[in-house]
Amino acid sequence: MKLSEDLLQGVVPIIPTPFTENEEIDEAALRSLVDFACSCGIQAACLPAYASEFYKLTDEEKLQVVKIAVEHAKGRIKIVAQSNHPSLRSAIRLAQANVKNGADIVSLAVPRIFSLPEDSLMEYLSGFLASIPETPVLIQDFNPGGASISPAFIKRLMDKHPNFKYLKLEEPLCAPKFEEIIKVTEGKVGLFEGWGGLYMLELIPVGIAGVMPGLGVADILQKVFEMRRAGHHDKAFTSFERIMPQIFFSLQNMELFHYAEKELLTARGILSNSITRKAAYIPEESSRNYIAELNKRALALVDDLSKEPSLSGKK
């Protein structure tokens, strides 16, 4: 099933939230992150999501980072505004404010603090989609404790709300489910793989629209995505195998991911520190040394890939 041509494709990274020494949002650093995202040959970037420490931000700060990103991107890339909140009323308030502030797409995570029946989730998601009917919406379902929403549920939601355009899933062994979703939606919902892009080589042939990794590997995975899509499978595997240890190590713990991601961006000269808001993961010396080693290897891969011709026509 061919993906609808008007949908986003490729890598849509999550922009982390940079902090100053006193844990205030570093607006200048955020603008540098947006500039880097715009240089990666991608169509869009997302914030504030799990990888942005959204759960440590006030509602006002969530709106603040999106507004800064929209204003600084200036149309160079689209901005996906994550509007997560377990309260539907609050999620709608965030979404409508983000739309007013210029977000191109709005994203929402399915509320998974406690187990809810599908009827409750349908009421929540349907109410959210109806609140911004003219804005494309990406639904994220990250449910470590159980199954994500079903293909039948997804089809019902799509039929009821034309602005339900994207779905992001994080689970392993999901190729059969992705194939079923593509079939029942007739390719009208773009499927994105999360979880750092760890399963991307398996899922690109299935027909996913793209992946949503951390920003630090966005340019690397965009090239891998283009290689795999273009049929250069050996090159795609060779490049992906070189960055996979970085992705795999950081995903062992979400708070560790924040530290490792910001350390990589610091090593790449994009951030000046790897500060995360407390409570934060404090890696011991062996982990810090290993992360530094992984970063050196990532930088070498970036250098090697810079010598490869672009498959998308972009520099």
Side-chain angles (χ1 to χ4, degrees):
M1 188 70 64
K2 188 177 179 181
L3 185 70
S4 180
E5 292 183 359
D6 63 337
L7 294 175
L8 290 176
Q9 298 188 47
V11 171
V12 178
I14 309 302
I15 298 177
T17 305
F19 297 110
T20 63
E21 292 286 346
N22 62 353
E23 297 187 15
E24 295 295 325
I25 293 173
D26 189 334
E27 295 189 4
L30 179 55
R31 293 185 182 94
S32 295
L33 293 172
V34 172
D35 283 334
F36 174 69
C38 292
S39 75
C40 288
I42 59 176
Q43 296 179 340
C46 177
L47 78 168
Y50 281 97
S52 316
E53 301 175 69
F54 88 87
Y55 50 91
K56 299 178 186 177
L57 303 179
T58 66
D59 285 355
E60 290 70 24
E61 288 174 328
K62 293 173 189 175
L63 296 176
Q64 175 189 359
V65 295
V66 170
K67 188 173 183 180
I68 291 170
V70 168
E71 290 175 350
H72 195 66
K74 296 178 181 176
R76 290 177 289 168
I77 58 173
K78 293 184 176 181
I79 297 298
V80 182
Q82 195 96 353
S83 304
N84 297 343
H85 204 289
S87 159
L88 176 58
R89 286 169 56 92
S90 296
I92 288 173
R93 187 184 73 82
L94 288 171
Q96 291 177 338
N98 281 323
V99 171
K100 183 179 179 181
N101 288 336
D104 301 285
I105 298 164
V106 166
S107 178
L108 175 73
V110 176
R112 292 294 188 183
I113 297 175
F114 300 106
S115 178
L116 291 169
E118 280 206 338
D119 285 349
S120 297
L121 295 180
M122 179 61 72
E123 182 179 29
Y124 175 90
L125 296 175
S126 186
F128 184 86
L129 286 155
S131 73
I132 47 170
E134 304 303 319
T135 303
V137 172
L138 183 153
I139 300 296
Q140 175 189 12
D141 197 2
F142 175 49
N143 188 21
S148 57
I149 52 179
S150 67
F153 180 103
I154 293 160
K155 176 67 162 58
R156 285 170 56 204
L157 198 62
M158 181 196 78
D159 288 343
K160 190 173 181 180
H161 300 283
N163 60 325
F164 171 32
K165 293 295 187 182
Y166 304 98
L167 175 68
K168 176 186 178 186
L169 298 179
E170 316 271 349
E171 61 219 65
L173 301 174
C174 62
K177 183 172 183 176
F178 273 27
E179 288 179 313
E180 179 64 17
I181 294 169
I182 292 169
K183 180 180 178 181
V184 301
T185 64
E186 300 179 335
K188 295 175 183 176
V189 174
L191 298 183
F192 280 83
E193 184 248 326
W195 209 237
L198 195 62
Y199 315 121
M200 64 183 290
L201 292 188
E202 172 194 4
L203 297 173
I204 290 171
V206 170
I208 60 170
V211 296
M212 297 183 73
L215 180 61
V217 297
D219 50 345
I220 296 171
L221 294 191
Q222 177 65 19
K223 290 205 172 185
V224 171
F225 188 89
E226 292 169 3
M227 290 171 184
R228 184 74 157 145
R229 271 274 184 93
H232 300 300
H233 305 302
D234 287 342
K235 284 186 176 181
F237 271 91
T238 298
S239 298
F240 187 74
E241 286 161 0
R242 290 176 64 183
I243 198 61
M244 189 171 65
Q246 179 102 23
I247 298 170
F248 185 80
F249 180 81
S250 65
L251 289 176
Q252 294 178 96
N253 178 288
M254 193 69 234
E255 287 293 327
L256 171 64
F257 177 87
H258 299 322
Y259 175 85
E261 166 78 349
K262 289 181 177 180
E263 279 291 298
L264 176 57
L265 288 163
T266 300
R268 298 194 65 175
I270 302 154
L271 282 181
S272 61
N273 67 60
S274 56
I275 296 170
T276 56
R277 271 190 177 168
K278 301 177 183 65
Y281 189 94
I282 303 173
E284 78 293 342
E285 184 178 5
S286 61
S287 292
R288 294 196 303 272
N289 291 340
Y290 185 56
I291 289 169
E293 186 177 13
L294 290 171
N295 288 344
K296 289 180 181 178
R297 300 180 70 84
L299 293 178
L301 176 57
V302 169
D303 185 58
D304 290 343
L305 285 174
S306 69
K307 301 166 187 173
E308 291 279 345
S310 173
L311 299 173
S312 66
K314 296 179 181 179
K315 296 283 186 180

